[in-house]
Amino acid sequence: MLFGWLQQKTIRLIEAALTGVAPLGLLGVVDSPRLARALAERGRRVTAISRNAPGPKRVLFALRAHGGQLPLADGTLAAVIGRADGVDGVLDDWSRVVAEGGLVVVVDRALREESSRLALACGLVDLEQRVAGRVVVTSGRVRKLG
């Protein structure tokens, strides 16, 4: 489970990052059934995406990723939320499935600088960071080139 340490304050930071994302837009939550449920209970449309385990209950639907790739068409989601785990290409794939102007939100215990570096490396713009204790919530808008 991604967030055994998930707290209400962290959820509020994620909600703050999602300000401006269409309220009815579909959110993808990677590897965190608790976060997927919490956002669904707040009225968000959520699909839980699991890289390791079966999907959670009480969300719109659950998907299973294959080889780290999200099983969604380009531009399908309003936002993707999860932990990048420092895996190369993860944020690039998340950006691929988010619509132009949507958000990639990384929730981690990484150093703020490392989270920023990863977000910038995959082309996210308008970066924002919010901190709750050791948790860093880094969000950036997807800008499609070409």
Side-chain angles (χ1 to χ4, degrees):
M1 180 179 297
L2 175 62
F3 298 122
W5 41 268
L6 185 64
Q7 300 172 0
Q8 292 300 316
K9 187 169 185 177
T10 303
I11 294 171
R12 284 194 299 272
L13 293 179
I14 293 167
E15 283 283 12
L18 293 172
T19 300
V21 171
L24 297 178
L26 183 61
L27 308 178
V29 176
V30 180
D31 288 342
S32 181
R34 288 182 64 194
L35 177 58
R37 279 193 299 275
L39 291 171
E41 288 168 359
R42 286 168 173 72
R44 295 282 189 167
R45 291 181 57 226
V46 177
T47 182
I49 303 165
S50 175
R51 292 183 286 188
N52 303 313
K57 298 175 181 164
R58 293 187 304 206
V59 295
L60 183 63
F61 60 94
L63 298 171
R64 191 170 173 95
H66 299 286
Q69 294 274 357
L70 300 184
L72 296 164
D74 296 0
T76 303
L77 302 173
V80 171
I81 305 153
R83 187 169 162 183
D85 293 327
V87 178
D88 288 338
V90 168
L91 294 185
D92 290 325
D93 192 47
W94 292 7
S95 295
R96 175 188 64 78
V97 300
V98 173
E100 173 80 27
L103 286 178
V104 171
V105 181
V106 178
V107 182
D108 211 342
R109 290 185 182 187
L111 297 174
R112 297 173 88 179
E113 296 81 11
E114 179 64 11
S115 295
S116 294
R117 186 190 67 73
L118 289 171
L120 289 170
C122 79
L124 297 178
V125 297
D126 301 331
L127 295 185
E128 292 187 27
Q129 286 188 318
R130 295 163 176 84
V131 179
R134 296 184 340 190
V135 177
V136 178
V137 176
T138 303
S139 61
R141 296 222 173 263
V142 172
R143 184 178 67 194
K144 309 282 184 181
L145 299 176

